[in-house]
Amino acid sequence: MSSMSSKPPRGPRNGRDRDHSNTRTVSSGGIQKNRGPPVRVDQDGDLVMDAAGGRGRGRGGRGHGPRHDPTISNGRGGRLGRGGLDSSAAQKAILRGMNTGNLIIRQPKGNLVAAGAFREASGRERTHARNDGMDEVGISGWKESKAASNPDGGVRALIEFLERKAIAPVSQPFRIRKSRTEGGVLVVSIKPQDTLSVLKLNHFGFAGATLGIELEKAAKDADAGTSTSIQQSETSIELKRKMTAMLNRRYSSEAKLLDLSTLGTDPEFADLGMFDTHSRQSKFFPALMKVCDSIFSSAQQKRDAVTSISLASNTLSNVASVTTLAQTFPDLKNLDLSNNKLQDLKAIEAWRWKFRHLEQLVLNGNPLETDLPKDQDDIMKWYPRLRTLNGIQVRSDEEINSAIRGLLPIPTLSPSFRDEASIGENFIKHFFPAYDTDRTALSNAYYDAQSSFSLSVNTSASRAPDAPTQINWDEYIRKSRNLLKINHASARISRSHKGTEDILGVWLSLPATRHPDLLAEPQKWCVECHSVPGLPDPAGQSSSGVGGLIIMVHGEFSEVNHATQSGDSVIRSFDRTFVLGPGAGPGGVRVISDILVLRAYGGSAAWIPDGGDPIQTQPQPQLSQPQAQVGLQPGLPNPEFGLAVPGKSDEQVQKELMAMEMSRATGMTIEYSGMCLEQSGWNLEEAARIYESAKASLPAEAFM
């Protein structure tokens, strides 16, 4: 045992967590191993195995090979000295060198070892840290992938794909920290040493599409930055001048037509190489649209000056590279896309629901023309004012007016507020001001141990034209119970809150809000109220349940900035559904269920009645008695419906009788029967004709 302990251990244990000095340490007893001479490592931080005691126990065996590498220089042409190098210090130096690209290890005696070979092997050979710019690489083709249907257009999925597939040098993690989109091209900023790995992914398949990857701009030295910026500025000014001149040449003031056909053959821009690569092509049109915006002083001036645009004969396989046309000229009336390479309707899907004033669309000379008869209905839905398609009239003036007003199949009517004894009205008037000012008192007043609350964020809802494109949902998304996004049962259960204490905890974690005044700004609200039978009886006295109310509220609120106490920072739209039942709260009610849905600001135009002004949402009690409809089946009228009672005119009685007659004949609910009769001008024959034409598209809730 003593002979074994006299030999120093070989391998990395000898250099692990030790202080390689000649000082002796105080022993605490037990068997002590004889510490040999200082341990040396090579320039890579690896232990030199033949250095122990000079006995020749190196990698070459006893007495074989040199004790150290003769190729390592001490900076003066000689070999390394006998001074040892701490392996942990060497590893730290190597890591620093890997990060900076310059690996320099300082020895105890001040000798410098420049590891140029390591830099070459790692692919990080650089002249100096001043060349620390980023390369810009453009990726095209991803707009045609399946991931393009994602909410962010597929950008995140593409970046994750690149990070996963690109093999970074020296096994360093590859991450894309900065990116932007320019037309159909995603431009990413990456370190120069990673560029080759990304370029190797050119022509790779991504979600059903083939990627095109090109180097957009190489990193520049800092010293050249000023002169480069000046040169780029002069080039940009000259390019803008040429674009402006081209737009003037191609504009007809008489026809209000901007002719952007055959752009690829324009000699002035072809000589500049603007169409040499797909990347340059994709940047050209967005730049052209920016120049268009700079020409006009207002949106109205632009609307008056340009009503028609031609993009004919541009070899377009889709509209990804020209999609910015919809943002620059949203009120366009006539659009020519003839003689391109549009294969099917998906090629123009990026303009779906855009150009809401488009009246004429030309698609002649495209492969999709053969399928146009079956695609015509979809195109007409996308563009409600479309009158002419490929020179053929597809809508009459009356049909256009109906499509704009949305009269088919069911018209947009004023909200239905069927309150009982002003219970719903009083609740709404009290709830939202209290939610803005004192959520604790509100929860204690209306909620009990059996009340439930859930929050859902709908990020894909339609937005108002003036709504911001970038919205932060961080304070809501972790509490969201959107069942389209949350799939795991445990997450769904944990985000459904029950009881006063649990509900209040969620409320207090949400940002402070400020809702519009219901009486002062009724146009910003849409409130509906209906009776609900068969709710659980909290007293347990009725086995068939008790009557209650369901209240649906649509509106908006602003988040209060705590620093300034202003409510103008962020405006969001919301939909909130309450189920009220008998309880100990104000007015003798309690909240059984509360579901809050948040979405981006969508405005209030959706609930403007057809042919009417913005609604004046004043809750109006319509039932003369506070008795709930406990014994009635859903869809059946109130017992007084169709009867002459005090306060009801003969005309109202007659209309109710007609609604009951149509309900018996069609099986529709009284409410939908009344809608159909109102649309027909209370003509039973006309109402029957409207019902037959719209029957297939009516929702299930339209029938009893």
Side-chain angles (χ1 to χ4, degrees):
M1 181 179 295
S2 60
S3 62
M4 292 178 62
S5 62
S6 63
K7 299 178 182 179
R10 289 178 289 178
R13 289 184 301 159
N14 196 20
R16 183 184 303 167
D17 300 325
R18 295 171 180 258
D19 181 11
H20 300 296
S21 64
N22 291 326
T23 60
R24 295 182 177 271
T25 58
V26 178
S27 173
S28 59
I31 299 175
Q32 298 292 318
K33 293 185 178 180
N34 182 23
R35 300 182 184 272
V39 178
R40 296 193 300 106
V41 296
D42 60 18
Q43 66 170 357
D44 294 326
D46 295 325
L47 186 66
V48 179
M49 301 298 293
D50 64 346
R55 287 189 290 270
R57 294 186 179 272
R59 281 186 289 257
R62 184 183 297 273
H64 291 85
R67 294 176 60 183
H68 49 76
D69 191 345
T71 62
I72 302 177
S73 170
N74 64 0
R76 298 186 296 272
R79 296 181 177 179
L80 285 173
R82 296 181 59 84
L85 179 65
D86 185 11
S87 63
S88 61
Q91 292 168 6
K92 293 177 182 178
I94 290 172
L95 291 175
R96 287 197 299 271
M98 289 168 61
N99 292 330
T100 62
N102 301 300
L103 179 58
I104 298 177
I105 303 177
R106 186 175 300 276
Q107 297 236 92
K109 294 184 179 181
N111 298 330
L112 296 179
V113 181
F118 182 86
R119 292 199 302 272
E120 293 179 4
S122 66
R124 296 176 181 240
E125 176 71 9
R126 298 171 67 184
T127 57
H128 199 268
R130 78 179 190 187
N131 188 16
D132 58 354
M134 305 286 279
D135 286 351
E136 291 189 351
V137 175
I139 301 97
S140 58
W142 56 283
K143 285 284 190 179
E144 287 76 45
S145 69
K146 297 177 183 177
S149 61
N150 295 350
D152 64 346
V155 173
R156 183 178 181 83
L158 177 59
I159 290 177
E160 291 177 349
F161 174 83
L162 296 173
E163 292 177 343
R164 187 171 64 254
K165 292 295 184 180
I167 302 176
V170 202
S171 300
Q172 289 294 299
F174 170 59
R175 292 290 181 268
I176 295 174
R177 305 297 184 187
K178 185 178 180 182
S179 65
R180 68 180 187 275
T181 55
E182 296 182 357
V185 176
L186 177 70
V187 181
V188 299
S189 299
I190 58 178
K191 296 179 180 179
Q193 60 265 28
D194 296 326
T195 301
L196 183 59
S197 299
V198 177
L199 293 178
K200 287 181 179 180
L201 302 180
N202 189 27
H203 301 307
F204 266 47
F206 167 68
T210 302
L211 299 179
I213 302 180
E214 302 173 355
L215 179 63
E216 297 282 329
K217 185 179 72 174
K220 298 291 191 301
D221 286 344
D223 294 345
T226 304
S227 60
T228 302
S229 299
I230 295 174
Q231 182 180 2
Q232 288 178 345
S233 178
E234 293 175 349
T235 304
S236 300
I237 293 173
E238 178 62 17
L239 184 59
K240 182 177 180 180
R241 185 192 65 78
K242 289 185 177 182
M243 285 184 172
T244 304
M246 184 267 283
L247 290 170
N248 287 329
R249 286 197 316 269
R250 290 171 171 259
Y251 175 67
S252 170
S253 58
E254 295 180 357
K256 297 184 178 181
L257 168 67
L258 182 59
D259 183 6
L260 300 179
S261 61
T262 61
L263 287 174
T265 60
D266 191 291
E268 194 167 9
F269 292 100
D271 293 342
L272 291 175
M274 296 303 299
F275 310 109
D276 289 350
T277 65
H278 181 81
S279 174
R280 289 187 177 182
Q281 291 178 31
S282 64
K283 293 179 180 179
F284 174 77
F285 197 83
L288 192 64
M289 291 298 98
K290 288 185 178 180
V291 173
C292 283
D293 271 331
S294 67
I295 292 175
F296 300 101
S297 59
S298 66
Q300 185 61 45
Q301 185 187 36
K302 186 166 55 177
R303 277 193 294 269
D304 295 339
V306 180
T307 60
S308 306
I309 288 180
S310 173
L311 286 172
S313 305
N314 277 309
T315 65
L316 296 172
S317 59
N318 56 60
V319 297
S321 60
V322 294
T323 186
T324 49
L325 181 72
Q327 285 79 47
T328 307
F329 295 98
D331 302 310
L332 199 64
K333 293 185 176 180
N334 307 294
L335 178 60
D336 183 5
L337 291 172
S338 61
N339 301 317
N340 281 291
K341 296 181 179 180
L342 305 174
Q343 293 289 334
D344 50 36
L345 203 57
K346 289 183 179 180
I348 62 173
E349 197 169 20
W351 283 341
R352 181 185 182 189
W353 308 117
K354 309 295 184 183
F355 303 121
R356 305 299 287 169
H357 297 274
L358 191 67
E359 298 178 359
Q360 182 174 206
L361 178 63
V362 181
L363 295 170
N364 296 111
N366 286 282
L368 63 78
E369 191 176 6
T370 57
D371 294 330
L372 210 55
K374 70 179 181 65
D375 293 334
Q376 178 174 310
D377 289 343
D378 289 330
I379 294 175
M380 292 172 65
K381 289 178 182 178
W382 292 0
Y383 310 112
R385 298 177 188 266
L386 189 67
R387 186 189 307 271
T388 305
L389 180 61
N390 280 1
I392 301 174
Q393 183 173 342
V394 293
R395 274 198 188 105
S396 64
D397 291 343
E398 292 77 12
E399 289 172 330
I400 291 175
N401 292 332
S402 297
I404 295 171
R405 296 197 309 268
L407 291 179
L408 298 177
I410 300 297
T412 302
L413 303 177
S414 297
S416 175
F417 197 91
R418 301 186 177 186
D419 198 359
E420 297 184 7
S422 300
I423 293 174
E425 177 182 354
N426 293 333
F427 174 79
I428 293 299
K429 287 180 177 179
H430 178 241
F431 183 89
F432 289 99
Y435 185 83
D436 292 340
T437 56
D438 192 346
R439 295 178 183 177
T440 301
L442 179 65
S443 64
N444 291 327
Y446 285 107
Y447 295 75
D448 59 23
Q450 300 302 316
S451 300
S452 65
F453 169 79
S454 64
L455 164 70
S456 176
V457 176
N458 182 4
T459 57
S460 59
S462 58
R463 308 181 181 191
D466 55 342
T469 56
Q470 298 294 331
I471 302 177
N472 188 343
W473 294 102
D474 290 348
E475 296 186 83
Y476 300 97
I477 204 69
R478 292 184 178 180
K479 306 173 185 67
S480 174
R481 195 175 180 261
N482 188 332
L483 297 183
L484 294 177
K485 306 290 186 181
I486 308 298
N487 298 319
H488 296 289
S490 58
R492 290 182 173 186
I493 294 172
S494 65
R495 299 185 187 197
S496 178
H497 307 280
K498 189 173 183 179
T500 307
E501 185 176 349
D502 192 11
I503 294 172
L504 178 60
V506 179
W507 283 7
L508 295 179
S509 69
L510 300 177
T513 57
R514 183 171 298 165
H515 292 77
D517 187 282
L518 179 61
L519 300 179
E521 299 179 285
Q523 73 278 3
K524 294 183 178 181
W525 295 81
C526 178
V527 186
E528 295 191 291
C529 177
H530 296 274
S531 298
V532 179
L535 296 175
D537 183 5
Q541 299 177 356
S542 174
S543 59
S544 60
V546 295
L549 296 174
I550 180 171
I551 303 176
M552 294 153 285
V553 184
H554 313 279
E556 65 187 65
F557 65 82
S558 57
E559 291 181 0
V560 176
N561 187 320
H562 290 286
T564 62
Q565 289 301 310
S566 65
D568 302 326
S569 54
V570 179
I571 299 180
R572 306 183 193 272
S573 289
F574 74 91
D575 311 288
R576 197 157 190 168
T577 303
F578 302 95
V579 177
L580 304 182
V589 300
R590 70 184 182 100
V591 175
I592 298 175
S593 172
D594 177 3
I595 300 176
L596 173 61
V597 178
L598 300 179
R599 48 191 170 84
Y601 176 68
S604 56
W607 51 75
I608 297 177
D610 290 334
D613 297 326
I615 58 173
Q616 303 296 311
T617 309
Q618 288 283 2
Q620 298 177 359
Q622 295 188 4
L623 300 179
S624 58
Q625 298 181 14
Q627 179 65 34
Q629 302 175 18
V630 176
L632 299 178
Q633 296 297 321
L636 293 181
N638 182 274
E640 297 177 352
F641 196 86
L643 299 178
V645 296
K648 186 185 296 186
S649 66
D650 293 338
E651 181 183 4
Q652 180 65 25
V653 174
Q654 185 64 29
K655 288 182 177 180
E656 291 176 356
L657 290 173
M658 292 175 66
M660 295 175 67
E661 177 68 23
M662 185 163 189
S663 176
R664 282 193 294 268
T666 61
M668 289 194 301
T669 63
I670 292 293
E671 184 176 357
Y672 274 77
S673 298
M675 291 180 183
C676 192
L677 284 165
E678 185 170 356
Q679 182 178 343
S680 67
W682 296 95
N683 184 308
L684 276 173
E685 294 182 359
E686 179 65 13
R689 187 192 67 79
I690 293 175
Y691 166 76
E692 290 297 328
S693 63
K695 178 169 58 175
S697 58
L698 289 175
E701 59 263 28
F703 299 90
M704 293 187 293

